[in-house]
Amino acid sequence: MELEKFYYDNQVVRKFIIATMFWGVVGMSIGLLLALMFLFPNLTDGISWLSFGRLRPLHTNAVIFAFVGNAIFAGVYYSSQRLLKARMWKDWLSNLNFWGWQAIIVAAAITLPLGYTTSKEYAELEWPIDIAIAVIWVAFGANLIGTILKRRQRHLYVALWFYLGTFVTVAVLHIVNSMEIPVSALKSYSAYAGVQDALVQWWYGHNAVAFFLTTPFLGLMYYFVPKAANRPVYSYRLSIVHFWSLIFIYIWAGPHHLLYSSLPEWAQNLGVAFSIMLLAPSWGGMINGLLTLRGAWDKVRTDPVLKFMVVAITGYGMATFEGPMLSLKNVNAIAHFSDWVIAHVHVGALAWNGFLAFGMIYWLVPRMFKTKLWSTGLANAHFWIGTLGIILYALPLYVAGFVQASMWKQFNPDGSLTYGNFLETVTEIMPMYWMRAIGGSLYILGAILGVYNLIRTARAGSKVSDELAEAAPLQKVTKKRTSKEAYHTWLERRPVKLTIFATIAILIGGMVQIIPSLMVDDYVPVISSVKPYTPLELEGRDIYIREGCVSCHSQMVRPFRSEVERYGEYSKAGEYVYDHPFLWGSKRTGPDLMRIGGKYNDNWHFNHFYDPQSTSAGSIMPSYKWIIKDELDKSLTEKKMQAMIILGVPYTQEEVDRAQEWMEEQGKEIEQNLYTDPDFARTYEADKTYAEENGEEFVEMHNREVVALIAYIQRLGTDIKIKNADDTALNIQP
C-alpha cells in the first residue's frame, strides 16, 4: 500500500510552549507577590488593583488556565497529530485556539485587578469572558474530533481517551457553573443561590481540578513518559480501568469541599464515599506511570526529563492520596479553612502539573528544533532547585495547618477558648509564611533557568514549522465488532461511541447531586425571618465581592463547639437563600464573618478598613483606603434588584422604585453613627472645609463605598435570633 505524505503542524505547538513558559513565570511571580503580602501586608498600600483580594484570583487563573492550560494545548497538539498520523484538522482552528486563549488570559489580567469578578473559585471571570472561553474550548474540541475522524491510525491510544474526556467534561462543567444573569457588560449574578450555588460551584471547582489539571495531564503522561523512557506503557488493561473508573468516580467527589457545612448530610456523605473510592483509580494511574519506567531507572540518574516526570508522577500520587484522606470528616474537621489545604493544592500544582509540564517541554523543544538540549546541567539545576522549592513551600504549610487547627480548637479547663483572639493563630505561623515565600522564590528561580535553557536550545537549532511524515491511509472495515475483537479494542476504533460513553459516565454523578437541589421544594428549609438585602447592603456585598474578601474570610460557622464559642450560632441553610453568589469561602486567613453583624460598632469597621492594625494589633490585613474615599456608584442598583427578582428574590416593584431613597436613609444613619467618634467628626469636617475652600468636589460620607460595605457587614448573621443559649449545644460536634 502506498504511503501518504503529510506535514505535522509544529508551529502551533511552538507558540503554545512559548506561552506556557511566559505565563508560567508571570503567574508564579504574582503568587510570590501574594506570599510576600502575608509578611508585608501594606506592600502595595493604597493601590486598589494590586491589593491581595484582587490579585489572588489572578494568580490562580494565571497558573491554572494560562500556564497549565497552554501546556495542555502544546502537549495535546503535538501528541495527537503523531498518535493519529494526521495534521490537525484545520489550521485556522488551531490558530483561533491559540490567539483566542491568549486573549482570554489578557482579559482576565485586566478585569480581575480592576475588581470585575464573580467570586466563584476558578470561575471568577465575568460573563462575556465566560462566553469567549466556551467558544474557544469548542474550537479546540472540534479541531481534535475533526483530526480523529480523518486519522490514519485505526485505534485510539489511551492518551486520546483522556483528551476526549477532558474536552467533554470541561465544557459541561463550565456551561453549568457559568449560568448567570447579566446586569451590565461586566457584572452578573449567579443563577444559583446559597446552598445550591455552593454545590454547583464545588462540583465545578473540584472537577476543574479533576478534568483540567488531572485528566489531560494523565493523557500527556501516557504519551510523553513512554517516549522519554523509550518503554511501552506498563499495562494496557490497567489504563482501561484507570480511565473509566477515574472519569466516573471523580465527578461525584465535589461535596467533600463542603463537609460540616449547611449542605444536606446525604450529599456530603455521597461526596465522601466517592472520594475514598477515588484513591484506587488515581493510584492505578500513578503505578502505571511509574512502572512504565521499569528497566529505565538507570536513565533517571542522568536524564533531567525523566527526573521531572518521576517527581511529577510521585506528586500526583501524594496529592491523590491526600485528597481522599482530606475527605474523611474527622480529618476535614482539622484541615478545612487552614493552610493545610494550601499545601495540598500546591503539591499537586507545583509537582504534578509544573514538573510534568517542564519535563514535557524539555523533551519537546530539542526535537522540534532538531538539536540537543543546550545544557543538561542547567536542566538538572532547575530540577533540584524546583524540588527544594516544593519542599520548602509545602512542609511549613502542613505544619501551619496543624498549628492553626489545634489553636482554633483549644479550650481552657473553665470551658473558654485558650486562644480567643484569632490573631494569636496568625502570629504563631508567621515563620511558616516566611519559609513559604522562600520556597516559592526557589521554584520561580528554577523556572527562569528553564526559560533561559530553552531559549538557548532553540537558538542553537533550526525550527521546523511543518514536519514531513508519512503513513498508510486508513482502510474501511466493518463497524461491527468481530468475534475475535475485545470489546474495548472495538470501542477504540469507534471514537464517537467512546465519546458518548464518556459523556454518560461524567453526567451521572452531577445529575444525581445537582438535580435534587434544584427540584426538591424543601431542599433548603425556609427561615421566615431571613429577608433580602436592602439596596445599600446589596451594593456593599458587591464591594465585598469586588475586593476579594472571600479569599481570606469564610461565612460558614460549622457545628463545632469551638466555632460556636468563637463566632456564634452555627450556620443554617435557610440563611443563604438570597445569596447570589454564595460566599462561604475556603480559607480563613482572618476570622469567619457569618455572625459579625452587630459585634462591633460602625466606627470600628470604618477604622478597620482604613488601618486594620489600629483596631487589631498584629493583623496582616491590608488597608482599604480607596473605599473610604471613593463615591458609591448607585447607577445600577435598580438593575441589580431587577436581576435578583428574576432569580427569585422577593423585592417588590415599590422597593425597586424607592431604592435610591432607601440607600440615602440607611447611609445617613450609618454616617450619624460614625459621627459619635470625635476623631472621625473632626477629620471629616476638616476635609469638607478644605474641599469647599479649594473648590473641590466633596463626597458626603453616606454616599461613599465604605458606608455600603459597613451596611453589609453589619447585616451578616443577624436574620436569626437564638431564644435560648443552651439551644446552641444541639447538633454540635466536639
Side-chain angles (χ1 to χ4, degrees):
M1 185 181 298
E2 188 176 346
L3 299 179
E4 292 180 346
K5 291 186 178 182
F6 58 96
Y7 292 90
Y8 293 133
D9 180 8
N10 284 350
Q11 179 74 11
V12 70
V13 179
R14 185 167 60 252
K15 287 191 291 192
F16 275 120
I17 289 173
I18 293 168
T20 299
M21 299 307 292
F22 173 76
W23 290 117
V25 172
V26 170
M28 294 170 201
S29 299
I30 296 169
L32 178 59
L33 176 60
L34 294 172
L36 292 172
M37 286 182 183
F38 281 79
L39 308 170
F40 309 102
N42 292 312
L43 188 62
T44 58
D45 188 29
I47 307 173
S48 61
W49 53 275
L50 288 180
S51 62
F52 182 91
R54 297 197 191 183
L55 287 184
R56 194 260 180 181
L58 179 59
H59 165 61
T60 55
N61 278 268
V63 292
I64 294 173
F65 300 109
F67 172 56
V68 175
N70 278 303
I72 290 168
F73 291 131
V76 169
Y77 276 110
Y78 182 89
S79 60
S80 296
Q81 294 183 86
R82 283 144 184 88
L83 290 170
L84 298 167
K85 297 289 189 289
R87 188 182 180 91
M88 293 308 296
W89 181 43
K90 299 291 183 183
D91 284 2
W92 70 268
L93 280 175
S94 300
N95 285 314
L96 176 63
N97 187 179
F98 175 78
W99 291 111
W101 199 253
Q102 309 319 307
I104 288 165
I105 295 165
V106 171
I110 294 170
T111 58
L112 290 173
L114 291 176
Y116 298 109
T117 174
T118 67
S119 85
K120 299 179 77 169
E121 207 151 353
Y122 317 136
E124 291 92 349
L125 302 179
E126 272 293 357
W127 67 272
I129 308 175
D130 281 341
I131 293 171
I133 291 170
V135 170
I136 299 304
W137 191 255
V138 168
F140 160 66
N143 208 11
L144 177 63
I145 293 169
T147 309
I148 289 172
L149 295 178
K150 70 164 195 173
R151 68 194 185 281
R152 295 181 179 86
Q153 175 67 41
R154 190 172 309 283
H155 289 274
L156 300 187
Y157 178 65
V158 55
L160 292 161
W161 315 343
F162 281 98
Y163 300 161
L164 285 169
T166 297
F167 164 65
V168 169
T169 312
V170 170
V172 171
L173 293 169
H174 175 71
I175 291 168
V176 174
N177 190 51
S178 297
M179 292 293 179
E180 49 213 358
I181 298 291
V183 174
S184 66
L186 288 171
K187 178 63 185 175
S188 64
Y189 290 121
S190 173
Y192 317 102
V195 172
Q196 290 99 333
D197 194 37
L199 177 61
V200 173
Q201 159 57 26
W202 282 113
W203 167 78
Y204 164 87
H206 176 79
N207 290 301
V209 173
F211 288 90
F212 200 85
L213 299 179
T214 305
T215 54
F217 266 66
L218 287 169
L220 299 179
M221 177 194 81
Y222 274 116
Y223 180 83
F224 287 102
V225 171
K227 283 286 187 182
N230 198 26
R231 294 286 188 277
V233 168
Y234 171 67
S235 172
Y236 165 71
R237 287 186 177 181
L238 185 55
S239 68
I240 296 173
V241 175
H242 178 207
F243 173 72
W244 290 106
S245 57
L246 191 80
I247 67 166
F248 175 74
I249 294 173
Y250 233 134
I251 210 82
W252 295 76
H256 75 217
H257 290 264
L258 301 170
L259 300 184
Y260 291 112
S261 72
S262 298
L263 187 72
E265 195 79 11
W266 70 265
Q268 295 184 38
N269 293 338
L270 201 58
V272 171
F274 278 88
S275 298
I276 301 304
M277 286 190 270
L278 196 53
L279 180 62
S282 298
W283 272 47
M286 177 194 69
I287 290 166
N288 216 8
L290 288 177
L291 291 183
T292 296
L293 296 170
R294 68 201 186 286
W297 284 100
D298 57 312
K299 292 182 181 179
V300 177
R301 286 179 297 164
T302 56
D303 187 355
V305 170
L306 288 178
K307 282 192 180 77
F308 277 107
M309 290 181 174
V310 166
V311 171
I313 297 169
T314 305
Y316 172 66
M318 291 170 61
T320 53
F321 171 79
E322 195 179 8
M325 181 176 70
L326 285 169
S327 72
L328 294 169
K329 279 194 163 185
N330 54 347
V331 179
N332 188 274
I334 298 169
H336 197 56
F337 291 132
S338 81
D339 280 299
W340 182 348
V341 176
I342 309 302
H344 164 64
V345 167
H346 283 81
V347 165
L350 300 178
W352 168 235
N353 296 118
F355 268 28
L356 192 65
F358 292 140
M360 176 187 79
I361 292 170
Y362 275 127
W363 186 88
L364 275 174
V365 170
R367 283 160 179 80
M368 294 182 65
F369 285 87
K370 306 300 179 186
T371 186
K372 289 184 178 180
L373 186 63
W374 181 69
S375 173
T376 301
L378 201 59
N380 278 318
H382 176 189
F383 169 78
W384 288 112
I385 293 170
T387 301
L388 182 61
I390 294 170
I391 293 168
L392 285 178
Y393 188 108
L395 287 183
L397 288 191
Y398 283 123
V399 175
F402 278 102
V403 170
Q404 285 169 310
S406 60
M407 292 181 74
W408 290 343
K409 294 175 180 289
Q410 191 79 24
F411 280 89
N412 292 317
D414 65 357
S416 62
L417 288 166
T418 304
Y419 304 101
N421 185 345
F422 187 93
L423 277 171
E424 293 178 275
T425 68
V426 176
T427 55
E428 190 68 26
I429 60 175
M430 291 307 290
M432 290 75 156
Y433 287 157
W434 271 104
M435 293 182 72
R436 185 254 297 270
I438 294 168
S441 301
L442 289 173
Y443 195 87
I444 295 172
L445 174 61
I448 292 170
L449 292 178
V451 169
Y452 178 73
N453 201 1
L454 292 167
I455 291 172
R456 293 299 300 263
T457 302
R459 287 180 176 175
S462 56
K463 68 178 182 180
V464 180
S465 297
D466 296 296
E467 184 181 333
L468 180 63
E470 55 183 19
L474 201 60
Q475 299 298 307
K476 286 190 176 182
V477 296
T478 178
K479 290 183 179 180
K480 293 183 178 179
R481 179 183 161 205
T482 63
S483 58
K484 294 182 179 180
E485 195 173 23
Y487 182 81
H488 205 275
T489 306
W490 169 76
L491 191 61
E492 289 163 27
R493 62 180 177 89
R494 303 296 307 281
V496 175
K497 194 176 287 290
L498 187 147
T499 305
I500 291 170
F501 286 176
T503 305
I504 293 170
I506 63 100
L507 285 176
I508 294 171
M511 291 170 67
V512 169
Q513 290 176 342
I514 293 171
I515 289 176
S517 77
L518 304 175
M519 302 293 288
V520 177
D521 289 339
D522 60 350
Y523 187 85
V524 176
V526 175
I527 299 176
S528 59
S529 61
V530 175
K531 305 297 182 186
Y533 296 106
T534 67
L536 191 64
E537 290 161 0
L538 185 63
E539 291 289 359
R541 191 172 197 270
D542 284 342
I543 294 169
Y544 185 98
I545 290 169
R546 184 192 73 194
E547 299 303 336
C549 303
V550 71
S551 295
C552 294
H553 295 283
S554 59
Q555 289 186 24
M556 172 52 63
V557 181
R558 296 174 293 178
F560 299 157
R561 179 185 166 214
S562 59
E563 295 205 2
V564 170
E565 181 70 24
R566 185 181 300 276
Y567 302 119
E569 175 68 2
Y570 65 90
S571 300
K572 311 294 191 294
E575 293 184 83
Y576 302 100
V577 291
Y578 303 129
D579 284 12
H580 297 268
F582 85 112
L583 295 172
W584 294 0
S586 56
K587 168 77 164 64
R588 283 180 185 157
T589 303
D592 187 276
L593 300 182
M594 183 60 196
R595 303 286 176 216
I596 196 72
K599 188 174 182 180
Y600 304 102
N601 63 34
D602 292 348
N603 279 301
W604 187 95
H605 287 295
F606 182 92
N607 293 326
H608 188 61
F609 294 135
Y610 185 80
D611 181 9
Q613 289 74 32
S614 69
T615 58
S616 309
S619 171
I620 61 172
M621 174 178 161
S623 68
Y624 286 86
K625 291 184 173 69
W626 57 90
I627 68 168
I628 305 291
K629 301 173 183 176
D630 290 352
E631 184 176 3
L632 177 64
D633 182 1
K634 301 178 181 179
S635 62
L636 292 174
T637 306
E638 288 85 357
K639 285 187 177 180
K640 290 177 179 181
M641 295 176 74
Q642 292 288 1
M644 288 294 184
I645 291 172
I646 294 171
L647 294 170
V649 178
Y651 290 120
T652 64
Q653 189 57 49
E654 182 184 355
E655 288 172 331
V656 175
D657 292 340
R658 66 178 297 265
Q660 298 294 329
E661 180 187 344
W662 197 352
M663 284 192 287
E664 192 85 0
E665 291 171 1
Q666 191 175 4
K668 286 182 176 178
E669 185 179 329
I670 294 172
E671 182 179 309
Q672 288 303 311
N673 293 339
L674 293 175
Y675 257 100
T676 60
D677 180 354
D679 290 336
F680 168 84
R682 191 183 311 112
T683 304
Y684 180 65
E685 289 299 331
D687 288 346
K688 189 174 183 178
T689 302
Y690 178 85
E692 290 172 352
E693 290 175 351
N694 290 276
E696 295 178 2
E697 184 181 356
F698 183 78
V699 180
E700 296 287 343
M701 183 56 65
H702 63 269
N703 287 324
R704 298 189 192 183
E705 290 184 338
V706 65
V707 169
L709 185 54
I710 290 172
Y712 170 63
I713 294 291
Q714 293 289 37
R715 171 66 183 276
L716 288 175
T718 60
D719 281 339
I720 64 169
K721 305 294 181 185
I722 306 304
K723 294 179 181 178
N724 183 350
D726 293 337
D727 291 346
T728 61
L730 300 175
N731 299 317
I732 293 176
Q733 306 294 322

